[in-house]
Amino acid sequence: MEVFNMIKAMGQGTGLAQFTPAHIIMLAIGILFIWFGIVKKYEPFLLVPLGIGCILVNIPGTGLMAPGGLLAYNYQGIALVIYPPLIFLGVGAMTDFGPLIANPSTIILGAAAHLGIFIALVGAKLLGFSLAEASAIGIIGGADGPMAIYVATKLAPHLLGPIAVAAYSYMALLPLIQPPIMKALVPLEERKIAMAKIKPVSKREKIIFPVMMILIVLILLPPIAPLISCLMLGNLIRESGVMDRVSATIGGVFLDVITVFIAVAIGSTMSAENFVNLQTLKIVTLGLIAFCFGTASGILWARLMCKISGGRINPLIGSAGIAAVPMAARVSHNIGLQYNKRNYLIMHAMGPNLAGVLGTAVAGGIMITLLGAF
């Protein structure tokens, strides 16, 4: 009898005894993320650690998200808004703002692709979320993971988990989400348009740009100082030409490591207890709708610009107006190559893509300022 009780106690202490159907669902989602990352090669730097975080938090009894647990410590990088500015620092160090400086008109495409933010905001309000919650949900449509985290911590910290998961998972799945919309809205002949080479931008212009952006954006919208200041600092380090080793480290190994940390932290919010509910389903659905509308509106504006320019602009770059850098620009480039092997759209697409980053930051700053969360 004593041996039986010991065996019974041992069985109850395993994770198997605590598994629920919700845990199994979330484990399947985690495995699906890993499959997309490894087999389909959809942004593996995001999806693989995201999937691992999801799996770890849904194995009962590990205590990884309990106070003092490994995942709980890692999550503080999101809760205390440490990781997002560091991500922006690395992105700035790896980014060439030359395409945006050379062709400022692409700012229009960055603005147009942000229709998704307002679609999601209105949709969330209609579904019963407060204005602050709806604003935090809406920013998912900007396709900027760090900005979505930052705005959520200011306006709706209790929704941080599902908002971060929606933003980052859809960013990683852009190669799956955007192409059907692009092919549906852009005629075959316009997909083949080869754009002229971007005019060169001087080193002086590239150095002045981040300094001017810090002065202009932060004076007008101080709430977004942590992110924009780090983005522009990283870019100034890159363009200065006197810190090449630092620039390569920040935009390379450092950014990769922080990306893994933040993706695992986001995945660790996907516990069955917190994630399998109607509220999360609403947020994830609104996020997908926002991405689709943002992609479509950017493309339609790009088609208009194509007509006005006499066919010199390939409308495929319009989908890059959302802020997922450089994933959205890469999708535009890859789709263009399918229809014209000499069609290199990556640098042209980076213009609206970078405009999308700044546009999402401005939208987030306005929301935080108007709602008094700063």
Side-chain angles (χ1 to χ4, degrees), residues 272-282:
E273 295 78 12
N274 298 329
F275 212 77
V276 183
N277 56 63
L278 182 58
Q279 185 182 63
T280 298
L281 179 62
K282 291 178 181 178

Side-chain angles (χ1 to χ4, degrees), residues 81-331:
V81 199
I82 296 170
Y83 291 154
L86 295 180
I87 290 286
F88 264 51
L89 180 67
V91 169
M94 65 173 284
T95 299
D96 179 5
F97 279 95
L100 180 60
I101 300 171
N103 192 3
S105 64
T106 55
I107 292 175
I108 297 173
L109 297 178
H114 281 60
L115 175 65
I117 292 178
F118 302 100
I119 293 291
L121 191 158
V122 173
K125 197 70 181 69
L126 293 175
L127 288 175
F129 291 95
S130 69
L131 182 57
E133 292 171 337
S135 298
I137 294 169
I139 209 68
I140 297 173
D144 186 334
M147 182 57 69
I149 291 172
Y150 184 73
V151 173
T153 58
K154 298 293 183 181
L155 299 181
H158 55 291
L159 298 180
L160 177 57
I163 288 174
V165 169
Y168 269 91
S169 58
Y170 290 143
M171 282 171 59
L173 294 173
L174 280 182
L176 186 66
I177 297 171
Q178 286 192 317
I181 301 171
M182 297 163 74
K183 294 174 182 178
L185 296 180
V186 181
L188 181 59
E189 287 305 311
E190 292 183 6
R191 296 178 215 164
K192 297 179 180 179
I193 294 174
M195 297 180 65
K197 188 177 180 180
I198 292 176
K199 68 178 183 179
V201 177
S202 70
K203 181 177 179 179
R204 177 180 296 179
E205 290 176 295
K206 290 185 177 182
I207 290 175
I208 292 174
F209 180 80
V211 177
M212 291 302 298
M213 289 304 300
I214 287 176
L215 291 173
I216 294 172
V217 176
L218 300 194
I219 288 173
L220 295 176
L221 294 168
I224 57 175
L227 298 185
I228 291 298
S229 59
C230 284
L231 177 68
M232 294 305 161
L233 172 60
N235 188 246
L236 184 59
I237 290 173
R238 168 196 169 96
E239 302 299 350
S240 67
V242 295
M243 291 179 278
D244 291 344
R245 184 164 56 87
V246 175
S247 175
T249 301
I250 295 175
V253 175
F254 177 82
L255 179 59
D256 292 343
V257 171
I258 297 298
T259 299
V260 170
F261 283 170
I262 197 171
V264 171
I266 291 167
S268 69
T269 67
M270 299 175 68
S271 65
E273 295 78 12
N274 298 329
F275 212 77
V276 183
N277 56 63
L278 182 58
Q279 185 182 63
T280 298
L281 179 62
K282 291 178 181 178
I283 292 172
V284 172
T285 302
L286 287 168
L288 179 59
I289 292 171
F291 267 60
C292 293
F293 268 93
T295 299
S297 59
I299 289 173
L300 293 176
W301 271 99
R303 289 199 64 195
L304 177 61
M305 292 177 68
C306 177
K307 301 295 184 185
I308 295 173
S309 68
R312 293 196 299 271
I313 295 176
N314 189 315
L316 291 175
I317 69 172
S319 64
I322 60 177
V325 176
M327 290 86 89
R330 194 183 301 140
V331 172

Side-chain angles (χ1 to χ4, degrees), residues 12-16 18-19 23 27 52-72 268 271 273:
Q12 291 175 341
T14 66
L16 287 173
Q18 304 173 52
F19 264 112
H23 286 118
L27 288 176
I52 287 295
C54 178
I55 290 173
L56 290 176
V57 79
N58 284 290
I59 298 176
T62 64
L64 290 171
M65 274 299 280
L70 178 62
L71 294 182
S268 69
S271 65
E273 295 78 12

